């Protein structure tokens, strides 16, 4: 799962670049990966996630231009995220396979939630890389994230039905989560007239709130995203005098941490 995460992290970073090229109306980069500086086509052994970046020390083999740390970070982040989510979601399913097999509907729903979260996370990584590099969130990708988040929400409602929990209660829980996470971002965006938060942030938050489907986890996500932003981005912003901090990557990071802890803490505690 770590290797799979690294591969999709590499894919996501490529997609961010290709999307940017399309938005700028530049010439298509072609089917193969190229150096963004000298446009030379990369050999397969320079295209291995994590490994190639480390062996080339973050530079192009041909022109020695810097590749940038975003590629390496997105590969590492998604690899770690895939690993943690497997531990939190897939492992409990595999450990209780014999028992869960007696209820195929529940088993399939649990597996579907796990897979959909991984798919959502790939789209979120493209958005996070794009936001970190260019300070924008492409609308088409936001819509895709909201659709995938919505599918996770529907699966969780279905799961509640199988477990005999109140569907109404699950939907209310989901709605309060959306109000807390997306609502907060929307209010800050409107009240500050886009100075503190962009129009894309609240749509990104909406996708996350749908996938969480839980108001308590939504509250933790907004808290943790702000905390991560303060700890990681603020010192740099103060030093350089650049006061623009792109919130997207922190929202996505907080989302993964909350998703993992939210699913395994109840197991660990009881
Ligand atoms: Zn080059």
């Amino acid at each position: 799962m770590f290797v799979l995460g690294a591969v999709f992290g590499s894919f996501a970073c490529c997609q961010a670049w290709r999307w940017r090229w399309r938005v700028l109306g530049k010439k298509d980069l072609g089917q193969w990966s190229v150096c963004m500086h000298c446009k030379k086509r990369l050999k397969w052994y320079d295209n291995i996630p994590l490994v190639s970046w480390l062996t080339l020390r973050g530079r192009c083999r041909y022109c020695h231009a810097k590749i940038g740390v975003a590629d390496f970070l997105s590969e590492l982040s998604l690899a770690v995220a895939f690993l943690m989510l497997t531990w939190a979601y897939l492992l409990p399913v595999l450990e209780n396979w014999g028992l869960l097999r007696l209820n195929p509907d529940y088993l399939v729903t649990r597996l579907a939630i796990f897979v959909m979260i991984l798919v959502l996370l790939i789209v979120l990584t493209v958005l996070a890389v794009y936001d970190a590099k260019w300070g924008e969130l492409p609308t088409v990708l936001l819509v895709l994230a909201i659709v995938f988040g919505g599918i996770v929400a529907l699966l969780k409602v279905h799961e509640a039905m199988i477990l005999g929990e109140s569907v109404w209660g699950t939907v209310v829980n989901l709605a309060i989560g959306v109000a807390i996470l997306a609502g907060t971002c929307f209010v800050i965006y409107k009240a500050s007239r886009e100075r503190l938060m962009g129009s894309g942030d609240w749509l990104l938050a909406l996708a996350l709130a749908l996938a969480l489907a839980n108001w308590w986890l939504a509250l933790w996500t907004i808290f943790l995203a702000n905390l991560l932003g303060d700890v990681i981005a603020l010192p740099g912003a103060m030093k350089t005098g650049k006061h623009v901090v792109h919130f997207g990557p922190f929202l996505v990071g907080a989302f993964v941490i909350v998703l993992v802890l939210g699913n395994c803490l109840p197991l660990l505690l009881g």
Side-chain angles (χ1 to χ4, degrees):
M1 289 311 288
F2 185 87
V3 172
L4 195 68
V7 168
F8 276 112
S10 173
F11 168 79
C13 204
C14 281
Q15 292 314 306
W17 274 105
R18 286 177 185 277
W19 204 269
R20 186 64 182 170
W21 245 232
R22 185 186 289 190
V23 168
L24 294 177
K26 290 198 186 182
K27 198 172 139 272
D28 192 60
L29 291 170
Q31 188 180 355
W32 303 95
S33 291
V34 295
C35 166
M36 296 307 291
H37 190 70
C38 65
K39 302 289 184 290
K40 221 171 153 66
R41 194 177 130 183
L42 303 186
K43 292 275 191 313
W44 66 267
Y45 49 79
D46 287 339
N47 233 341
I48 305 167
L50 296 174
V51 179
S52 293
W53 197 93
L54 287 174
T55 52
L56 291 169
R57 293 193 190 84
R59 285 173 185 278
C60 169
R61 182 184 291 277
Y62 308 104
C63 70
H64 305 290
K66 275 192 177 167
I67 298 168
V69 79
D71 298 70
F72 183 74
L73 278 182
S74 63
E75 287 162 8
L76 186 64
S77 315
L78 207 56
V80 171
F82 268 40
L83 200 63
M84 292 199 305
L85 286 166
T86 302
W87 175 63
Y89 281 82
L90 189 62
L91 232 53
V93 171
L94 295 179
E95 277 170 359
N96 299 299
W97 190 267
L99 201 66
L100 288 169
R101 231 179 37 187
L102 302 174
N103 192 342
D105 197 5
Y106 182 65
L107 178 61
V108 170
T109 308
R110 283 306 294 179
L111 288 175
I113 288 174
F114 172 65
V115 172
M116 276 315 299
I117 285 174
L118 296 189
V119 173
L120 170 65
L121 208 54
I122 296 167
V123 180
L124 292 177
T125 306
V126 183
L127 281 165
V129 170
Y130 202 101
D131 194 17
K133 276 186 186 293
W134 302 294
E136 284 170 33
L137 294 163
T139 310
V140 180
L141 293 175
L142 284 173
V143 171
L144 201 61
I146 291 168
V147 169
F148 288 151
I151 295 173
V152 175
L154 286 176
L155 285 166
K156 287 192 172 172
V157 171
H158 184 64
E159 185 190 20
M161 282 164 72
I162 297 169
L163 293 174
E165 290 166 6
S166 153
V167 173
W168 183 235
T170 311
V171 172
V172 169
N173 198 349
L174 180 100
I176 298 174
V178 168
I180 290 175
L181 193 50
T184 308
C185 291
F186 184 75
V187 167
I188 296 174
Y189 152 64
K190 279 288 175 195
S192 73
R193 300 211 175 96
E194 283 199 55
R195 275 191 308 116
L196 293 177
M197 213 168 264
S199 60
D201 287 317
W202 79 273
L203 291 168
L204 178 63
L206 174 63
L208 305 184
L210 285 169
L212 289 169
N214 182 302
W215 73 270
W216 181 236
L217 297 182
L219 190 63
W220 269 103
T221 304
I222 192 93
F223 168 73
L224 204 60
N226 278 291
L227 190 69
L228 287 174
D230 289 346
V231 171
I232 297 170
L234 210 57
M238 303 262 274
K239 219 165 69 183
T240 58
K242 239 179 74 184
H243 292 289
V244 181
V245 173
H246 302 304
F247 200 45
F250 299 110
L251 264 178
V252 174
F255 169 72
V256 174
I257 294 169
V258 167
L259 211 54
V260 169
L261 293 182
N263 203 59
C264 61
L265 272 189
L267 292 176
L268 295 176
L269 295 176

